Amino acid sequence: MQQRFRSLRPLVDGMLEGYGASFLGMLEAPSDGLGVWMTEDATVSCIVTTATVPSLLKLVTGGFGSRVLDPEHTLIAVNPMWTRGQDVGQRWEGQLKEQATVLIDGPPQWHTLYHCKMVRTRSAIGMLHRAYPHGWRLHACTGEDASEGIGPLLLAGAAGDEKPSDAEVAAVLVAHGAATRGKQGGLLGGLFDGLRR
């Protein structure tokens, strides 16, 4: 995580340039990679994983200072890698799981401001993307390893936060892969394409 943080820090510093942000340091242990910045009206944390959600909970409940308790204060998570609240902590830590569920799963819900991820099936590679306030988009990528660039738009969601499901993305990519391979046959490849993740 430290290596990821070292790569991400210059990007976050650049994103916050002009907002009077100051880097406060790492929450808990530097090896967790959970860095925190503060502006006048926002707290930015990066690389929050399911394992470090307890540290984020401590932050948002005032354990590192009371500024985050102001209702006008915004919390921004950069590259969060958590899954869901029920995955936090051990089985016997019911209260921690409840607190994590409220924080992660909402309400209020988290809004994705920017997301870019390569997704693939056996026959096609795509790029799932969202840049606020626009909706989610899935583009086909060209070349066997996506090195030839971004291709046609395959799926365009309405403006909003609802991310297409993994199954929906896979189905669209499988159909695209079958259509582009259609001239060559490939029936069996198309039938079994969606099975690989």
Side-chain angles (χ1 to χ4, degrees):
M1 285 299 164
Q2 283 178 311
Q3 188 173 10
R4 284 185 181 195
F5 177 76
R6 280 194 299 268
S7 298
L8 186 60
R9 182 173 177 185
L11 298 173
V12 176
D13 286 337
M15 175 183 82
L16 295 174
E17 191 173 324
Y19 290 97
S22 56
F23 176 65
L24 300 180
M26 309 297 279
L27 283 187
E28 309 289 351
S31 61
D32 291 338
L34 203 166
V36 177
W37 292 256
M38 181 91 51
T39 69
E40 185 175 323
D41 57 358
T43 298
V44 178
S45 62
C46 72
I47 315 181
V48 182
T49 65
T50 300
T52 59
V53 165
S55 297
L56 183 65
L57 279 166
K58 185 176 176 182
L59 172 72
V60 302
T61 57
F64 294 104
S66 62
R67 192 183 311 180
V68 298
L69 300 175
D70 181 345
E72 297 297 315
H73 198 80
T74 301
L75 181 63
I76 300 170
V78 177
N79 281 17
M81 292 186 239
W82 59 59
T83 52
R84 59 192 183 107
Q86 286 300 306
D87 295 337
V88 174
Q90 300 298 324
R91 199 175 327 172
W92 57 85
E93 296 179 296
Q95 184 178 2
L96 174 62
K97 288 181 176 296
E98 286 175 21
Q99 292 171 336
T101 298
V102 169
L103 177 66
I104 294 172
D105 304 328
Q109 80 180 61
W110 290 88
H111 300 280
T112 301
L113 302 179
Y114 183 83
H115 179 97
C116 185
K117 181 180 180 181
M118 300 303 286
V119 289
R120 63 181 69 226
T121 63
R122 180 169 271 160
S123 65
I125 302 172
M127 180 189 74
L128 184 61
H129 177 261
R130 177 167 191 223
Y132 182 85
H134 306 289
W136 290 89
R137 296 179 174 274
L138 176 65
H139 287 269
C141 293
T142 55
E144 287 186 22
D145 59 357
S147 62
E148 295 175 21
I150 304 302
L153 178 65
L154 302 177
L155 180 66
D161 287 320
E162 190 161 340
K163 181 180 176 185
S165 70
D166 291 343
E168 184 179 3
V169 169
V172 170
L173 283 175
V174 166
H176 174 73
T180 56
R181 205 178 49 242
K183 295 178 183 129
Q184 303 164 348
L187 176 63
L188 290 179
L191 289 175
F192 296 104
D193 192 43
L195 300 177
R196 185 177 147 222
R197 286 209 156 193

